[in-house]
Amino acid sequence: MVFVHPTASLDPAAHQLGLPDTLVDFTADTTRAVAQMIYSNRFAQTPNVKYIFSHAGGTIPYLAGRFAIIDEMNVIPGCSRRSLGGAASRGAS
């Protein structure tokens, strides 16, 4: 089991607005991590690992339709909706 949680950015540019990382960055970072894992086929490579994503998986639940469109367009060869669907069915949230 792997728990995935973002951490505060060390990049000063991320703090220019004076907003806490928890307001926007944590959700965006979680979304980016899930997307990278989907499109690098990490879930397919680790079928016996259960991933738990903090912050309800970032914005992935809201962007699932867009991920499906990207898959249908074959923008990233070798990846398909199976990557997202397989992860979702194994409990990645």
mmCIF file of all heavy atoms in Angstrom, residues 3-4 12 15 22 29-30 32 44-47 49 51 60 62 67 75 77-78 83 85-86 88:
data_model
loop_
_atom_site.group_PDB
_atom_site.id
_atom_site.type_symbol
_atom_site.label_atom_id
_atom_site.label_comp_id
_atom_site.label_asym_id
_atom_site.label_seq_id
_atom_site.Cartn_x
_atom_site.Cartn_y
_atom_site.Cartn_z
ATOM 1 N N PHE A 3 0.743 5.451 0.170
ATOM 2 C CA PHE A 3 -0.020 6.682 0.407
ATOM 3 C C PHE A 3 0.728 7.826 -0.270
ATOM 4 O O PHE A 3 1.912 8.038 -0.013
ATOM 5 C CB PHE A 3 -0.154 6.947 1.907
ATOM 6 C CG PHE A 3 -0.857 8.233 2.233
ATOM 7 C CD1 PHE A 3 -2.175 8.424 1.888
ATOM 8 C CD2 PHE A 3 -0.185 9.262 2.882
ATOM 9 C CE1 PHE A 3 -2.841 9.606 2.192
ATOM 10 C CE2 PHE A 3 -0.829 10.443 3.195
ATOM 11 C CZ PHE A 3 -2.155 10.614 2.846
ATOM 12 N N VAL A 4 0.036 8.537 -1.153
ATOM 13 C CA VAL A 4 0.646 9.625 -1.910
ATOM 14 C C VAL A 4 0.089 10.945 -1.401
ATOM 15 O O VAL A 4 -1.124 11.167 -1.421
ATOM 16 C CB VAL A 4 0.364 9.468 -3.427
ATOM 17 C CG1 VAL A 4 1.011 10.599 -4.214
ATOM 18 C CG2 VAL A 4 0.847 8.108 -3.917
ATOM 19 N N PRO A 12 10.494 29.360 -4.542
ATOM 20 C CA PRO A 12 9.965 30.662 -4.100
ATOM 21 C C PRO A 12 8.871 31.207 -5.015
ATOM 22 O O PRO A 12 7.964 31.900 -4.553
ATOM 23 C CB PRO A 12 11.193 31.574 -4.112
ATOM 24 C CG PRO A 12 12.367 30.679 -4.118
ATOM 25 C CD PRO A 12 11.924 29.377 -4.747
ATOM 26 N N HIS A 15 5.256 30.731 -4.084
ATOM 27 C CA HIS A 15 4.742 31.459 -2.929
ATOM 28 C C HIS A 15 4.591 32.960 -3.178
ATOM 29 O O HIS A 15 4.356 33.717 -2.241
ATOM 30 C CB HIS A 15 5.659 31.221 -1.720
ATOM 31 C CG HIS A 15 5.813 29.778 -1.385
ATOM 32 N ND1 HIS A 15 4.851 29.071 -0.704
ATOM 33 C CD2 HIS A 15 6.785 28.888 -1.678
ATOM 34 C CE1 HIS A 15 5.241 27.815 -0.573
ATOM 35 N NE2 HIS A 15 6.411 27.679 -1.160
ATOM 36 N N THR A 22 -1.632 24.585 0.722
ATOM 37 C CA THR A 22 -2.827 23.755 0.834
ATOM 38 C C THR A 22 -4.009 24.301 0.040
ATOM 39 O O THR A 22 -4.945 23.558 -0.252
ATOM 40 C CB THR A 22 -3.248 23.618 2.301
ATOM 41 O OG1 THR A 22 -3.426 24.928 2.850
ATOM 42 C CG2 THR A 22 -2.206 22.865 3.102
ATOM 43 N N ASP A 29 -0.811 19.320 -7.347
ATOM 44 C CA ASP A 29 0.297 18.364 -7.293
ATOM 45 C C ASP A 29 -0.202 16.929 -7.238
ATOM 46 O O ASP A 29 0.377 16.037 -7.868
ATOM 47 C CB ASP A 29 1.197 18.644 -6.093
ATOM 48 C CG ASP A 29 2.005 19.925 -6.247
ATOM 49 O OD1 ASP A 29 2.038 20.487 -7.364
ATOM 50 O OD2 ASP A 29 2.593 20.361 -5.244
ATOM 51 N N THR A 30 -1.269 16.699 -6.511
ATOM 52 C CA THR A 30 -1.853 15.358 -6.457
ATOM 53 C C THR A 30 -2.365 14.953 -7.828
ATOM 54 O O THR A 30 -2.139 13.830 -8.290
ATOM 55 C CB THR A 30 -2.984 15.298 -5.404
ATOM 56 O OG1 THR A 30 -2.451 15.660 -4.128
ATOM 57 C CG2 THR A 30 -3.603 13.915 -5.327
ATOM 58 N N ARG A 32 -1.332 16.063 -10.745
ATOM 59 C CA ARG A 32 -0.170 15.823 -11.613
ATOM 60 C C ARG A 32 0.457 14.462 -11.313
ATOM 61 O O ARG A 32 0.830 13.733 -12.235
ATOM 62 C CB ARG A 32 0.862 16.933 -11.436
ATOM 63 C CG ARG A 32 2.066 16.764 -12.352
ATOM 64 C CD ARG A 32 3.005 17.946 -12.318
ATOM 65 N NE ARG A 32 2.406 19.048 -13.052
ATOM 66 C CZ ARG A 32 1.938 20.172 -12.485
ATOM 67 N NH1 ARG A 32 2.007 20.341 -11.186
ATOM 68 N NH2 ARG A 32 1.412 21.130 -13.214
ATOM 69 N N ALA A 44 -0.197 -0.204 -14.272
ATOM 70 C CA ALA A 44 -0.086 -1.492 -14.953
ATOM 71 C C ALA A 44 1.166 -2.238 -14.513
ATOM 72 O O ALA A 44 1.174 -3.464 -14.441
ATOM 73 C CB ALA A 44 -0.066 -1.278 -16.473
ATOM 74 N N GLN A 45 2.229 -1.498 -14.193
ATOM 75 C CA GLN A 45 3.489 -2.105 -13.781
ATOM 76 C C GLN A 45 3.465 -2.589 -12.331
ATOM 77 O O GLN A 45 4.307 -3.383 -11.931
ATOM 78 C CB GLN A 45 4.636 -1.109 -13.956
ATOM 79 C CG GLN A 45 4.881 -0.725 -15.391
ATOM 80 C CD GLN A 45 5.806 0.484 -15.512
ATOM 81 O OE1 GLN A 45 6.232 1.064 -14.512
ATOM 82 N NE2 GLN A 45 6.107 0.854 -16.743
ATOM 83 N N THR A 46 2.515 -2.084 -11.562
ATOM 84 C CA THR A 46 2.437 -2.435 -10.141
ATOM 85 C C THR A 46 1.020 -2.879 -9.778
ATOM 86 O O THR A 46 0.361 -2.280 -8.933
ATOM 87 C CB THR A 46 2.850 -1.228 -9.270
ATOM 88 O OG1 THR A 46 2.013 -0.112 -9.605
ATOM 89 C CG2 THR A 46 4.298 -0.845 -9.492
ATOM 90 N N PRO A 47 0.535 -3.948 -10.408
ATOM 91 C CA PRO A 47 -0.862 -4.348 -10.216
ATOM 92 C C PRO A 47 -1.207 -4.788 -8.800
ATOM 93 O O PRO A 47 -2.371 -4.760 -8.420
ATOM 94 C CB PRO A 47 -1.044 -5.500 -11.211
ATOM 95 C CG PRO A 47 0.332 -6.062 -11.376
ATOM 96 C CD PRO A 47 1.255 -4.877 -11.275
ATOM 97 N N VAL A 49 -0.107 -3.338 -6.055
ATOM 98 C CA VAL A 49 0.053 -2.226 -5.125
ATOM 99 C C VAL A 49 -1.245 -1.426 -5.075
ATOM 100 O O VAL A 49 -1.825 -1.091 -6.105
ATOM 101 C CB VAL A 49 1.205 -1.295 -5.556
ATOM 102 C CG1 VAL A 49 1.297 -0.089 -4.636
ATOM 103 C CG2 VAL A 49 2.523 -2.053 -5.592
ATOM 104 N N TYR A 51 -2.811 2.086 -4.164
ATOM 105 C CA TYR A 51 -2.414 3.470 -3.970
ATOM 106 C C TYR A 51 -3.553 4.231 -3.314
ATOM 107 O O TYR A 51 -4.709 4.065 -3.684
ATOM 108 C CB TYR A 51 -2.091 4.132 -5.315
ATOM 109 C CG TYR A 51 -0.864 3.560 -5.973
ATOM 110 C CD1 TYR A 51 -0.963 2.481 -6.848
ATOM 111 C CD2 TYR A 51 0.389 4.078 -5.714
ATOM 112 C CE1 TYR A 51 0.168 1.955 -7.438
ATOM 113 C CE2 TYR A 51 1.515 3.555 -6.303
ATOM 114 C CZ TYR A 51 1.401 2.499 -7.168
ATOM 115 O OH TYR A 51 2.515 1.966 -7.750
ATOM 116 N N ILE A 60 -8.668 14.760 -10.316
ATOM 117 C CA ILE A 60 -8.857 13.618 -11.228
ATOM 118 C C ILE A 60 -10.332 13.254 -11.408
ATOM 119 O O ILE A 60 -10.774 13.046 -12.540
ATOM 120 C CB ILE A 60 -8.028 12.405 -10.772
ATOM 121 C CG1 ILE A 60 -6.536 12.696 -10.928
ATOM 122 C CG2 ILE A 60 -8.419 11.142 -11.515
ATOM 123 C CD1 ILE A 60 -6.068 12.902 -12.359
ATOM 124 N N TYR A 62 -12.850 15.077 -11.491
ATOM 125 C CA TYR A 62 -13.474 16.089 -12.344
ATOM 126 C C TYR A 62 -12.896 16.095 -13.749
ATOM 127 O O TYR A 62 -13.532 16.572 -14.683
ATOM 128 C CB TYR A 62 -13.313 17.476 -11.715
ATOM 129 C CG TYR A 62 -13.839 17.509 -10.314
ATOM 130 C CD1 TYR A 62 -12.991 17.425 -9.226
ATOM 131 C CD2 TYR A 62 -15.213 17.582 -10.069
ATOM 132 C CE1 TYR A 62 -13.475 17.422 -7.926
ATOM 133 C CE2 TYR A 62 -15.712 17.572 -8.785
ATOM 134 C CZ TYR A 62 -14.833 17.498 -7.717
ATOM 135 O OH TYR A 62 -15.320 17.487 -6.443
ATOM 136 N N PHE A 67 -9.433 13.072 -19.539
ATOM 137 C CA PHE A 67 -8.471 11.991 -19.711
ATOM 138 C C PHE A 67 -8.981 11.020 -20.776
ATOM 139 O O PHE A 67 -8.210 10.542 -21.601
ATOM 140 C CB PHE A 67 -8.244 11.260 -18.387
ATOM 141 C CG PHE A 67 -7.247 11.937 -17.485
ATOM 142 C CD1 PHE A 67 -7.599 13.075 -16.780
ATOM 143 C CD2 PHE A 67 -5.965 11.443 -17.351
ATOM 144 C CE1 PHE A 67 -6.693 13.701 -15.948
ATOM 145 C CE2 PHE A 67 -5.043 12.065 -16.523
ATOM 146 C CZ PHE A 67 -5.411 13.207 -15.825
ATOM 147 N N VAL A 75 -3.125 10.700 -27.948
ATOM 148 C CA VAL A 75 -2.085 11.711 -27.800
ATOM 149 C C VAL A 75 -0.825 11.099 -27.196
ATOM 150 O O VAL A 75 0.295 11.466 -27.547
ATOM 151 C CB VAL A 75 -2.592 12.881 -26.923
ATOM 152 C CG1 VAL A 75 -1.487 13.852 -26.586
ATOM 153 C CG2 VAL A 75 -3.731 13.591 -27.630
ATOM 154 N N PRO A 77 0.816 7.662 -27.099
ATOM 155 C CA PRO A 77 0.766 6.289 -27.601
ATOM 156 C C PRO A 77 1.071 5.271 -26.511
ATOM 157 O O PRO A 77 1.922 5.499 -25.653
ATOM 158 C CB PRO A 77 1.855 6.268 -28.677
ATOM 159 C CG PRO A 77 2.006 7.695 -29.092
ATOM 160 C CD PRO A 77 1.755 8.495 -27.837
ATOM 161 N N GLY A 78 0.350 4.169 -26.552
ATOM 162 C CA GLY A 78 0.570 3.090 -25.601
ATOM 163 C C GLY A 78 -0.273 3.198 -24.348
ATOM 164 O O GLY A 78 -0.259 2.303 -23.525
ATOM 165 N N SER A 83 -5.808 2.343 -18.445
ATOM 166 C CA SER A 83 -4.881 2.784 -17.405
ATOM 167 C C SER A 83 -5.625 3.452 -16.265
ATOM 168 O O SER A 83 -5.395 3.163 -15.109
ATOM 169 C CB SER A 83 -3.865 3.770 -17.987
ATOM 170 O OG SER A 83 -3.120 3.164 -18.995
ATOM 171 N N GLY A 85 -9.043 3.413 -15.802
ATOM 172 C CA GLY A 85 -10.103 2.527 -15.295
ATOM 173 C C GLY A 85 -9.551 1.444 -14.402
ATOM 174 O O GLY A 85 -10.114 1.127 -13.367
ATOM 175 N N GLY A 86 -8.412 0.878 -14.769
ATOM 176 C CA GLY A 86 -7.807 -0.158 -13.952
ATOM 177 C C GLY A 86 -7.404 0.374 -12.590
ATOM 178 O O GLY A 86 -7.590 -0.271 -11.577
ATOM 179 N N ALA A 88 -8.678 2.981 -11.077
ATOM 180 C CA ALA A 88 -9.880 3.326 -10.316
ATOM 181 C C ALA A 88 -10.541 2.087 -9.740
ATOM 182 O O ALA A 88 -11.004 2.080 -8.615
ATOM 183 C CB ALA A 88 -10.860 4.095 -11.207
#
